[in-house]
Amino acid sequence: MRIGELSRRTGVHERLLRSCEEQGLLAPERRLSGYREYREEVVGAVRHIRGLLAAGLNTSAIATILPCLRETGERLIPACPDLLAALHRERERITRSITDLERSRGALDGVIAAAPPVVARQALTAVEG
């Protein structure tokens, strides 16, 4: 199948599919015309990649861990000894990012709460309008 069909079937934009190819996550064959040709099993791989992206992993991390993941039905399981440690490190990185974002949100909440009532009402009207 061509890239447009793969995009439609997986809900992944063609630009991301090309990026995945550049990162080594996908390896389509090339027709003589230069068009990419994807095999049927790539549909499942793209869905897994999309799930890993949604989990907060970047494409470089996915390129590293994807060869060590095995599919059992709808679930991916680690199959290489070092992979679990890498996944724990990635989880800790995400946790630190969440903590930093919560701290930033708290600081922003403090600034918002310090606004005089008249300014707060005007801002609320602007947001609702």
Side-chain angles (χ1 to χ4, degrees):
M1 82 189 79
R2 293 194 18 204
I3 195 167
E5 183 180 346
L6 181 61
S7 176
R8 282 188 297 282
R9 290 182 59 188
T10 60
V12 173
H13 195 279
E14 290 179 22
R15 192 175 318 127
L16 180 56
L17 293 172
R18 286 186 196 99
S19 175
C20 287
E21 181 183 347
E22 290 170 9
Q23 293 284 329
L25 297 174
L26 300 174
E29 295 176 11
R30 291 284 185 159
R31 292 181 176 180
L32 291 176
S33 63
Y35 287 115
R36 294 167 177 85
E37 185 72 28
Y38 294 92
R39 294 183 314 273
E40 183 64 31
E41 58 268 16
V42 172
V43 173
V46 170
R47 289 187 178 134
H48 292 312
I49 292 167
R50 190 172 76 183
L52 292 167
L53 287 168
L57 300 174
N58 61 40
T59 54
S60 329
I62 293 170
T64 302
I65 68 168
L66 200 57
C68 288
L69 292 174
R70 299 296 172 259
E71 182 179 355
T72 59
E74 290 296 314
R75 181 179 236 175
L76 292 175
I77 59 170
C80 301
D82 295 337
L83 177 58
L84 203 53
L87 291 174
H88 279 291
R89 285 191 301 276
E90 191 62 27
R91 186 180 189 286
E92 285 302 313
R93 183 194 64 77
I94 291 169
T95 299
R96 284 190 304 276
S97 294
I98 291 169
T99 300
D100 291 345
L101 286 169
E102 287 174 338
R103 191 176 306 119
S104 295
R105 183 180 58 198
L108 187 57
D109 287 346
V111 171
I112 291 169
V118 67
V119 173
R121 280 192 301 276
Q122 290 171 344
L124 187 58
T125 302
V127 170
E128 290 176 347

